[in-house]
């Protein structure tokens, strides 16, 4: 019996290792399919997906502040930049760190928990005399820095890069902690200065080589977008489940889904594959890390924030379909649409080197017309956004095919 048990356990282990090998082979095939290259790349892990869920939850908390009081837009903007920079630290750390070791996974889980509690405290950030958000955010950044250090312990080039970055990140983190205990009226200025140091850190280190896995980093930023879209659907679903029997609600909900599905199609069928291929074809590590910084860290932020703002808009429109939007909320939505469409144009151009003329023309025309329907009801706005979403998606498909042919 003991021998049979041992053989069974050995067989189970062998099957498990064979399964792991199969998964790695599938990931390798996917990498070659996306990039067209034979270089080996890794995929994002489940624990990173778990962390991304918490990050998007934080963004939704911030967007609620913005939608409730657009006149105080600069406060949510600072919070968005802080949260985005913190998430990007984790994305780059896990890009270099395999997360195979249980201690590394545990450290990542601790960072996820700290980030979650920081997100919970966001609504009181600028109203409390002492904010827990800044303190928890500081701890989260320290954990991300530890992961960077672990990832670079055997790489002298990355150690040198980290040293240059920490010349700015350490003072920045200190200012964030100081701002947590400062008066709420001064907090916004202290944190803005900290963000400026972060920006300087990312700009001044562009000449230093940092080895980046293009498929993994593309998956991480893609995961955030898909979670943001999923969060939008969840937000809508929670709000309409008690009033779903109304025909108007059913129609509005369906149209909101079509809009979100169009955003998914534009990004995952056109933008993401082109970005991954472009980054993978850059062999110089310094040039590749600079490209990733520009394409993902800088250009994806407005894209994701626009999606989250639209989710808040759809929720309120479905609840009050015949109510006219306030001027401030309308221009908030208008700005989100303009930023989303212009950002899509920018990403397509950055990835392919070609201007998406069909999509850009549709975007300009759509946004121009949108500016003249200021006093429309929420339901009419949903109808209009559905039309321009479908038409612009078709236009970008024409641009994509024209680029492939050329």
């Amino acid at each position: 019996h003991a021998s049979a048990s041992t053989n069974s356990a050995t067989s189970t282990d062998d099957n498990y290792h064979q399964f792991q090998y199969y998964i790695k082979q599938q990931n390798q095939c996917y990498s070659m399919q996306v990039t067209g290259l034979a270089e080996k790349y890794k995929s994002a892990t489940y624990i990173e997906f778990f962390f991304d869920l918490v990050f998007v939850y934080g963004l939704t908390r911030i967007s609620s502040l913005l939608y409730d009081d657009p006149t105080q837009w600069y406060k949510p903007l600072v919070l968005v930049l802080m949260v985005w920079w913190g998430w990007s630290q984790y994305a780059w750390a896990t890009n270099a760190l395999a997360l195979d070791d249980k201690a590394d996974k545990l450290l990542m889980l601790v960072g996820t928990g700290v980030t979650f509690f920081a997100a919970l405290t966001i609504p009181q950030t600028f109203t409390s005399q002492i904010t827990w958000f800044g303190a928890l955010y500081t701890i989260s950044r320290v954990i991300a820095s530890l992961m960077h250090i672990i990832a670079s312990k055997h790489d002298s080039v990355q150690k040198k890069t980290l040293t240059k970055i920490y010349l700015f990140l350490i003072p920045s983190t200190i200012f964030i902690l100081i701002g947590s205990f400062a008066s709420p009226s001064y907090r916004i200025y202290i944190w803005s200065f900290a963000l400026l140091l972060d920006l300087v850190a990312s700009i001044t280190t562009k000449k230093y080589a940092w080895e980046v896995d293009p498929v993994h980093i593309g998956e991480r930023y893609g995961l955030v977008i898909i979670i943001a879209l999923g969060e939008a659907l969840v937000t809508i679903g929670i709000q309409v489940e008690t009033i779903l029997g109304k025909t108007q609600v059913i129609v509005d909900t369906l149209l909101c889904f079509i809009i979100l599905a169009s955003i998914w199609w534009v990004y995952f069928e056109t933008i993401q594959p082109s970005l991954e291929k472009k980054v993978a074809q850059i062999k110089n590590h310094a040039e590749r890390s600079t490209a990733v910084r520009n394409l993902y860290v800088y250009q994806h932020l407005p894209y994701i924030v626009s999606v989250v703002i639209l989710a808040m808009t759809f929720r309120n429109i479905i609840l009050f379909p015949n109510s006219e939007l306030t001027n401030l909320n309308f221009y908030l939505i208008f700005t989100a649409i303009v930023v989303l469409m212009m950002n899509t144009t920018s990403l397509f151009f950055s990835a392919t080197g070609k201007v998406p003329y069909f999509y850009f023309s549709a975007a300009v025309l759509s946004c121009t017309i949108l500016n003249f329907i200021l006093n429309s009801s929420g339901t009419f706005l949903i109808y209009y956004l559905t039309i321009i979403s479908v038409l612009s998606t078709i236009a970008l498909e024409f641009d994509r095919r024209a680029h492939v042919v050329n």
Side-chain angles (χ1 to χ4, degrees):
H1 288 296
S3 177
S5 177
T6 302
N7 291 336
S8 176
T10 303
S11 177
T12 301
D13 289 341
D14 290 342
N15 290 336
Y16 176 70
H17 290 306
Q18 289 175 6
F19 175 74
Q20 284 188 317
Y21 177 76
Y22 170 77
I23 293 297
K24 290 180 179 179
Q25 290 294 103
Q26 294 299 310
N27 289 340
Q28 172 65 7
C29 291
Y30 169 76
S31 301
M32 294 176 65
Q33 177 184 359
V34 169
T35 63
L37 303 172
E39 188 176 348
K40 291 184 178 180
Y41 302 118
K42 69 174 185 177
S43 294
T45 59
Y46 295 123
I47 195 170
E48 293 170 275
F49 184 82
F50 187 37
F51 179 84
D52 294 344
L53 285 169
V54 173
F55 163 71
V56 174
Y57 169 69
L59 283 185
T60 58
R61 302 278 283 181
I62 298 171
S63 64
S64 296
L65 294 177
L66 178 60
Y67 196 89
D68 292 340
D69 187 6
T71 60
Q72 300 288 314
W73 58 269
Y74 51 90
K75 292 180 179 179
L77 176 61
V78 169
L79 290 176
V80 164
L81 293 175
M82 290 174 67
V83 171
W84 177 252
W85 186 262
W87 179 85
S88 293
Q89 278 189 283
Y90 278 92
W92 283 66
T94 54
N95 186 265
L97 191 62
L99 289 177
D100 292 330
D101 189 77
K102 292 188 183 301
D104 297 336
K105 291 180 180 178
L106 182 61
L107 187 61
M108 183 74 175
L109 280 176
V110 173
T112 303
V114 172
T115 304
F116 174 67
F117 280 98
L120 288 176
T121 65
I122 283 174
Q124 295 80 37
T125 300
F126 292 106
T127 57
S128 302
Q129 191 63 33
I130 298 177
T131 174
W132 280 103
F133 171 79
L136 292 170
Y137 177 76
T138 300
I139 297 173
S140 178
R141 282 177 58 132
V142 170
I143 293 173
S145 297
L146 288 176
M147 295 177 68
H148 273 290
I149 293 172
I150 294 172
S152 63
K153 62 183 179 181
H154 300 302
D155 191 324
S156 59
V157 175
Q158 292 195 6
K159 283 182 179 178
K160 182 179 179 180
T161 303
L162 278 179
T163 302
K164 299 294 183 181
I165 293 175
Y166 285 156
L167 290 176
F168 298 95
L169 287 191
I170 292 176
S172 171
T173 304
I174 292 173
F175 275 107
I176 290 172
L177 189 59
I178 292 173
S180 303
F181 298 94
S183 170
S185 58
Y186 293 106
R187 188 171 295 152
I188 187 75
Y189 303 108
I190 297 173
W191 284 355
S192 297
F193 180 72
L195 286 171
L196 180 61
L197 292 177
D198 288 340
L199 179 62
V200 172
S202 68
I203 293 175
T204 56
T205 56
K206 66 180 182 179
K207 63 182 180 180
Y208 298 103
W210 184 276
E211 189 172 352
V212 179
D213 186 314
V215 170
H216 175 270
I217 205 74
E219 284 184 358
R220 288 304 305 278
Y221 284 84
L223 276 175
V224 170
I225 290 178
I226 199 66
I227 292 172
L229 292 172
E231 185 74 21
L233 291 175
V234 170
T235 300
I236 294 170
I238 291 175
Q239 298 298 326
V240 306
E241 62 181 355
T242 58
I243 54 175
L244 196 56
K246 298 180 180 179
T247 303
Q248 185 66 60
V249 172
I250 295 174
V251 172
D252 288 349
T253 303
L254 175 61
L255 295 180
C256 288
F257 175 80
I258 293 174
I259 295 170
L260 295 174
S262 298
I263 295 173
W264 180 93
W265 187 275
V266 164
Y267 184 82
F268 289 99
E269 286 296 311
T270 302
I271 301 299
Q272 189 195 39
S274 300
L275 289 175
E276 288 186 1
K277 185 173 182 179
K278 176 181 177 62
V279 173
Q281 290 174 339
I282 302 174
K283 294 303 181 182
N284 181 276
H285 291 318
E287 293 178 2
R288 178 183 283 184
S289 60
T290 300
V292 168
R293 183 202 64 187
N294 295 337
L295 294 173
Y296 289 105
V297 179
Y298 293 165
Q299 294 194 51
H300 273 61
L301 173 60
Y303 199 98
I304 294 169
V305 172
S306 297
V307 170
V308 174
I309 291 175
L310 287 177
M312 296 294 106
T313 302
F314 296 159
R315 179 196 66 182
N316 292 316
I317 288 177
I318 290 175
L319 287 177
F320 310 102
N322 297 318
S323 301
E324 290 186 1
L325 297 169
T326 64
N327 287 357
L328 283 174
N329 282 332
F330 176 85
Y331 282 116
L332 177 62
I333 299 166
F334 176 77
T335 302
I337 295 295
V338 171
V339 169
L340 183 66
M341 301 189 85
M342 293 300 103
N343 197 217
T344 300
T345 303
S346 173
L347 286 170
F348 185 91
F349 176 76
S350 299
T352 64
K354 303 289 183 179
V355 177
Y357 291 108
F358 291 111
Y359 181 86
F360 181 73
S361 300
V364 171
L365 179 61
S366 301
C367 294
T368 301
I369 297 174
L370 181 61
N371 191 44
F372 291 102
I373 56 175
L374 174 62
N375 295 319
S376 62
S377 66
T379 295
F380 181 81
L381 182 62
I382 288 290
Y383 291 161
Y384 180 73
L385 291 181
T386 303
I387 294 172
I388 66 174
S389 296
V390 173
L391 292 180
S392 60
T393 301
I394 295 173
L396 191 63
E397 188 66 19
F398 277 110
D399 288 312
R400 185 188 67 82
R401 295 189 179 189
H403 168 66
V404 171
V405 171
N406 294 332

